[in-house]
């Protein structure tokens, strides 16, 4: 609260003043108070000219932890990681111009994966808005296609209402990012604030209730099907519907495959789990969904990495699609039973209607045979470290409640293939946007949400380099994230595509060998470099035992043959029959040789 004498110039009277409403406050303090009232506990913010007022106000609150990332992109990803792990709204803060533009990748990541974050940006004073003032960027305009909603506050009295609306909009319906842009003079003005605000936006009333009629039809279709499969995604996580999903699988006995966003919504060690489907998914998951007669799609969006060639996806199946976002239904696939509404409510209702399916035995037996025939596997090597082995060892040694974060590339796909999640919100991956640089800051955000749990970031060297400055944040803020850098001196995933589709011509995919342990030491972080396969388990154990943050630099050679590639692989816009199984064989050729096609 300001002691400064109010002047005519900077005092803005409340729109509807109430006698005895309270003392005048500065805009910056109203922002912080409003965030406190919404239950915001942490902000990842980087200061600058047009946001330093808010930082000044933040130094006075004990209710909100301020974490200073070393790059605004790190702050935006950290807010996303916090939100993904905790289910709460993540908040990041940046100054106008370059600070704000540095947030964009994190905002888009939240949009693509439906993550509730609020990005607050300082803006140039309203008197110079639109004049190309120093560090002016139209951030509302720039983020227009990336957000669920956005605000440019032009009246100090709107602050509590806008912050209340932003939090509500970010986390309800289909979650997503909201931007609030606040000019500096609004932060400096004073008014007597009115905090008692109500959500009243006539244009935003997400319908959560699924149609009972559609649910009935769906239950009937499920009971009639002979080869059903559940295809469950991030919508299950957002709706906190994992328990209902488990009940549904248990009651019906229908097998389930997950998208990358849905990993952990159903225990992956259960025999009915077919693990992940899609481009680098399990062969058995892709065969099963494509040979199913009914696909029960729950909180998914028929992404191209899942469907491959759309026109040939699941040629003999009927579709039930449950999604809270009406615009997702019939977007990529025309479905037979659309159910718009909350997937938790829908599953709850379906669980009352469905019965154990006694006719599934032949289908389950067939799936078990595919599981045996096409297991996810890798080849060990005596002399050098194999990255999949590192991931399996992490799985073996980590705590049950550990949270895993990843970058983007081969290491991400191997983590998806070989980790076995049992619960949701244990897995952080930039899935829709596929943004390198996500792993470390997202892990940082998750660790801030859960300071006592193990948070392990598995990144490729290219991905780790993209937000490596956040090592300093880990050190200074005592955030004990454990980092494993799968260091092959290459942009491995792009090199894999070069090997497969461009005759191994390297188009700037060799990035050189760096010693990440030495870099970590320079930040004051404990670290080791290993390259001997015998060192994997002992080094992981030392890392996990260490109380603070840690960097384990795992050096291994990039291998341009199948065994160094993420396999299986369905080339883009192809079908499951085109799955590359190894150097020479596709599934189509393999089945042809066996006389099955
Ligand atoms: C910001 C960004 N730039 C470029 C890409 C394209 N891309 C996808 S994977 C990849 C290579 C990743 O290399 P690395 O992090 O070392 O992991 P690896 O594949 O070797 O496991 C690149 C460049 C991307 N996904 N994100």
């Amino acid at each position: 609260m300001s002691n400064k004498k109010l002047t005519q110039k900077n005092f803005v009277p409340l729109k509807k003043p109430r006698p005895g409403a309270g003392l005048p406050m500065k805009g910056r303090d109203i922002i912080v108070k409003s965030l406190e009232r919404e239950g915001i506990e942490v902000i990842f913010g980087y200061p600058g000219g047009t946001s330093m007022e808010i930082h000044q106000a933040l130094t006075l609150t004990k209710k909100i932890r301020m974490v200073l990332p070393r790059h605004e992109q790190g702050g935006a990803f950290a807010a996303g990681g916090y939100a993904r792990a905790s289910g709460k709204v993540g908040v990041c803060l940046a100054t106008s111009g370059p600070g704000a533009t540095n947030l964009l990748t994190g905002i888009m990541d939240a949009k693509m994966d439906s993550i509730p974050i609020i990005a607050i940006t300082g803006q140039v004073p309203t008197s110079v808005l639109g004049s190309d003032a120093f560090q002016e960027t139209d951030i509302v305009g720039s983020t227009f296609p990336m957000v669920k909603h956005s605000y440019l506050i032009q009246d100090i009295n709107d602050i509590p209402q806008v912050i209340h609306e932003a939090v509500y909009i970010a986390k309800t319906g289909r979650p997503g990012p909201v931007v609030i842009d606040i000019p500096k003079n609004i932060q400096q003005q004073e008014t007597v604030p009115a905090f008692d605000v109500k959500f009243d936006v006539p244009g935003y009333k997400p319908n959560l209730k699924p149609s009972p009629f559609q649910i009935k039809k769906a239950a009937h279709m499920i009971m009639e099907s002979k080869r059903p499969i559940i295809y469950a995604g991030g919508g299950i996580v957002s709706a906190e519907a994992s328990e209902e999903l488990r009940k549904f699988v248990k009651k019906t006995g229908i097998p389930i495959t997950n998208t990358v966003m849905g990993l952990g919504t159903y225990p992956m060690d259960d025999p009915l789990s077919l693990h992940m489907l899609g481009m680098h998914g399990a062969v058995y998951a892709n065969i099963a969904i494509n040979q199913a007669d009914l696909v029960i799609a729950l909180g998914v969006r028929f992404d191209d990495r899942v469907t491959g060639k759309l026109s040939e996806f699941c040629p003999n199946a009927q579709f039930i699609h449950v999604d809270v976002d009406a615009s997702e239904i019939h977007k990529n696939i025309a479905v037979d039973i659309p159910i718009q509404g909350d997937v938790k409510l829908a599953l709850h209702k379906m669980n009352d209607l469905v019965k154990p399916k006694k006719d599934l035995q032949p289908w389950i037996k067939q799936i078990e045979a595919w599981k045996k025939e096409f297991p996810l596997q890798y080849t060990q090597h005596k002399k050098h470290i194999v990255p999949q082995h590192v991931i399996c060892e992490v799985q073996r040694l980590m705590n049950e409640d550990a949270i895993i974060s990843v970058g983007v590339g081969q290491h991400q796909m191997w983590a998806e293939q070989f980790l076995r999640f049992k619960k949701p919100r244990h897995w952080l991956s930039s899935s829709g946007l596929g943004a390198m640089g996500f792993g470390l800051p997202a892990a940082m955000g998750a660790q801030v949400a859960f300071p006592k749990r193990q948070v392990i970031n598995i990144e490729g060297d290219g991905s780790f380099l993209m937000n490596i400055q956040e090592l300093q944040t880990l050190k200074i803020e005592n955030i004990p994230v454990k980092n494993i850098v799968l260091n092959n001196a290459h942009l491995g995933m792009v090199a894999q595509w070069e090997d497969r589709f461009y005759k191994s011509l390297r188009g700037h995919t060799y990035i050189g060998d760096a010693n990440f342990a030495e870099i970590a030491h320079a930040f004051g972080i404990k670290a080791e470099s290993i390259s001997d396969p015998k060192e994997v388990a002992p080094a992981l154990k030392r890392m996990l035992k260490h109380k603070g943050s840690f960097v384990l630099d795992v050096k291994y050679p990039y291998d341009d043959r199948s065994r160094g590639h993420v396999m299986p692989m369905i080339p883009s816009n192809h079908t499951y029959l085109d799955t590359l199984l190894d150097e020479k064989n596709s599934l189509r050729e393999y089945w042809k040789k066996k006389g099955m096609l």
Side-chain angles (χ1 to χ4, degrees):
M1 200 152 329
S2 166
N3 295 323
K4 221 179 91 191
K5 224 175 147 206
L6 299 179
T7 61
Q8 203 61 18
K9 203 170 158 221
N10 69 4
F11 182 75
V12 179
L14 193 60
K15 270 182 196 155
K16 288 182 214 153
R18 285 178 288 123
L23 295 170
M25 288 173 77
K26 279 195 175 188
R28 69 186 205 185
D29 299 309
I30 300 171
I31 295 166
V32 172
K33 187 94 191 146
S34 302
L35 290 167
E36 282 177 10
R37 288 173 66 95
E38 297 301 327
I40 301 302
E41 293 162 347
V42 58
I43 297 178
F44 301 89
Y46 200 96
T50 64
S51 66
M52 59 186 294
E53 290 279 349
I54 305 171
H55 283 264
Q56 291 294 310
L58 280 166
T59 59
L60 300 176
T61 170
K62 290 203 168 62
K63 293 193 181 149
I64 299 179
R65 176 176 179 188
M66 245 308 298
V67 176
L68 171 72
R70 271 32 176 195
H71 188 298
E72 290 87 352
Q73 184 180 104
F77 281 148
Y82 173 91
R84 285 170 194 257
S86 69
K88 298 178 191 168
V89 173
V91 180
C92 54
L93 167 64
T95 192
S96 60
T101 54
N102 276 346
L103 295 178
L104 294 198
T105 308
I107 293 172
M108 192 61 199
D109 172 70
K111 171 72 164 44
M112 294 291 277
D113 287 349
S114 307
I115 305 299
I117 66 163
I118 294 183
I120 301 175
T121 47
Q123 184 53 279
V124 298
T126 43
S127 57
V128 292
L129 262 181
S131 72
D132 294 336
F134 176 65
Q135 294 194 327
E136 179 181 8
T137 299
D138 173 8
I139 204 66
V140 165
S142 316
T143 56
F144 199 66
M146 302 183 184
V147 293
K148 188 168 171 190
H149 200 50
S150 51
Y151 298 89
L152 167 61
I153 297 186
Q154 300 200 57
D155 182 337
I156 183 174
N157 292 306
D158 291 341
I159 294 172
Q161 181 71 33
V162 164
I163 289 179
H164 181 64
E165 281 177 18
V167 171
Y168 185 79
I169 290 172
K171 69 182 181 189
T172 51
R174 179 180 185 169
V178 177
V179 163
I180 309 176
D181 199 23
I182 316 177
K184 185 164 180 172
N185 61 314
I186 305 281
Q187 301 168 31
Q188 292 167 324
Q189 285 171 355
E190 301 197 10
T191 188
V192 176
F195 287 112
D196 287 330
V197 289
K198 267 202 310 226
F199 186 83
D200 183 23
V201 179
Y204 182 73
K205 294 214 168 21
N207 172 47
L208 299 183
K209 281 194 191 146
S211 147
F213 179 68
Q214 294 295 85
I215 297 269
K216 237 183 180 172
K217 277 196 341 195
H220 181 73
M221 192 177 265
I222 290 166
M223 294 319 293
E224 293 292 296
S225 65
K226 296 279 175 286
R227 298 187 312 280
I229 188 165
I230 299 160
Y231 152 43
I236 299 284
V237 182
S238 305
E240 307 288 355
S242 182
E243 281 310 313
E244 287 74 9
L245 176 65
R246 282 158 208 240
K247 233 180 181 178
F248 182 67
V249 177
K250 200 158 185 214
K251 194 159 181 196
T252 58
I254 298 174
I256 168 168
T257 180
N258 282 121
T259 66
V260 56
M261 284 299 292
L263 297 181
T265 56
Y266 189 79
M268 294 174 79
D269 57 352
D270 185 271
L272 283 177
S273 170
L274 302 188
H275 311 128
M276 192 182 77
L277 82 168
M279 181 179 273
H280 291 296
V283 176
Y284 41 86
N286 288 324
I287 301 177
I289 196 163
N290 279 286
Q291 299 210 358
D293 65 352
L294 174 63
V295 174
I296 307 161
L298 305 171
V300 292
R301 56 189 179 85
F302 295 91
D303 175 67
D304 57 283
R305 282 292 197 263
V306 161
T307 63
K309 193 171 184 182
L310 252 187
S311 57
E312 291 178 33
F313 181 60
C314 305
N316 303 313
Q318 290 185 298
F319 290 93
I320 297 167
H321 187 189
V322 185
D323 205 291
V324 74
D325 183 352
S327 72
E328 280 301 341
I329 295 175
H330 300 310
K331 185 182 86 176
N332 291 340
I333 292 268
V335 299
D336 301 275
I337 304 188
I339 302 177
Q340 187 279 315
D342 181 58
V343 69
K344 186 181 178 91
L345 291 178
L347 278 168
H348 184 76
K349 293 238 159 71
M350 269 200 256
N351 281 335
D352 287 342
L353 297 179
V354 290
K355 296 193 179 70
K357 278 187 66 64
K358 298 205 177 85
D359 49 355
L360 285 185
Q361 238 8 59
W363 177 230
I364 299 289
K365 267 202 161 152
Q366 172 63 78
I367 286 175
E368 276 166 8
W370 288 327
K371 268 185 157 179
K372 277 205 185 105
E373 194 171 6
F374 304 104
L376 284 162
Q377 59 191 357
Y378 62 91
T379 318
Q380 263 294 23
H381 200 280
K382 272 196 194 130
K383 289 212 175 106
H384 62 73
I385 293 176
V386 173
Q388 297 97 315
H389 172 64
V390 179
I391 286 162
C392 291
E393 286 296 274
V394 172
Q395 170 71 45
R396 187 172 70 83
L397 296 168
M398 73 184 184
N399 291 342
E400 183 92 332
D401 68 349
I403 297 170
I404 302 277
S405 181
V406 285
V408 171
Q410 290 183 307
H411 63 283
Q412 176 193 29
M413 297 298 131
W414 285 319
E416 289 162 3
Q417 291 182 339
F418 291 98
L419 291 172
R420 292 287 170 262
F421 296 98
K422 292 187 187 147
K423 290 194 178 145
R425 301 201 181 281
H426 285 46
W427 162 244
L428 320 176
S429 157
S430 172
S431 305
L433 189 64
M436 289 169 72
F438 170 89
L440 167 52
M444 187 167 95
Q447 187 82 78
V448 168
F450 296 101
K452 299 235 155 72
R453 281 166 67 180
Q454 272 178 353
V455 179
I456 305 169
N457 169 39
I458 304 175
E459 280 201 281
D461 43 336
S463 294
F464 194 57
L465 278 167
M466 283 211 177
N467 273 315
I468 198 162
Q469 75 288 341
E470 299 311 330
L471 286 179
Q472 192 175 49
T473 315
L474 297 188
K475 173 68 187 170
I476 304 298
E477 298 269 353
N478 288 321
I479 303 173
V481 170
K482 312 290 187 266
N483 299 278
I484 301 168
V485 188
L486 291 175
N487 179 2
N488 57 8
H490 282 76
L491 301 174
M493 184 54 97
V494 185
Q496 169 168 341
W497 281 51
E498 289 172 342
D499 293 335
R500 290 277 159 189
F501 312 118
Y502 298 89
K503 299 189 175 132
S504 294
L505 180 65
R506 294 281 169 258
H508 319 112
T509 45
Y510 173 72
I511 58 173
D513 189 15
N515 189 324
F516 289 100
E518 279 181 19
I519 295 174
H521 287 147
F523 283 109
I525 288 179
K526 201 163 165 58
E528 288 183 34
S529 264
I530 58 167
S531 54
D532 182 342
K534 288 202 274 314
E535 268 302 304
V536 172
L540 284 173
K541 282 183 195 159
R542 286 194 292 275
M543 179 187 83
L544 293 173
K545 223 173 136 198
H546 180 65
K547 288 226 153 46
S549 44
F550 198 104
V551 172
L552 182 62
D553 177 26
V554 180
K555 293 181 188 300
Y556 73 99
Y558 177 77
D559 186 339
D560 61 4
R561 290 158 294 176
S562 275
R563 63 181 191 197
H565 290 171
V566 183
M567 303 298 284
M569 174 179 187
I570 304 178
S572 215
N573 201 27
H574 282 64
T575 84
Y576 78 108
L577 288 171
D578 302 311
T579 305
L580 303 172
L581 299 173
D582 54 38
E583 209 81 45
K584 296 183 193 107
N585 281 309
S586 68
L587 181 62
R588 191 189 303 277
E589 282 143 6
Y590 174 81
W591 272 351
K592 262 190 194 157
K593 275 183 209 156
K594 288 186 89 180
M596 290 169 66
L597 266 188

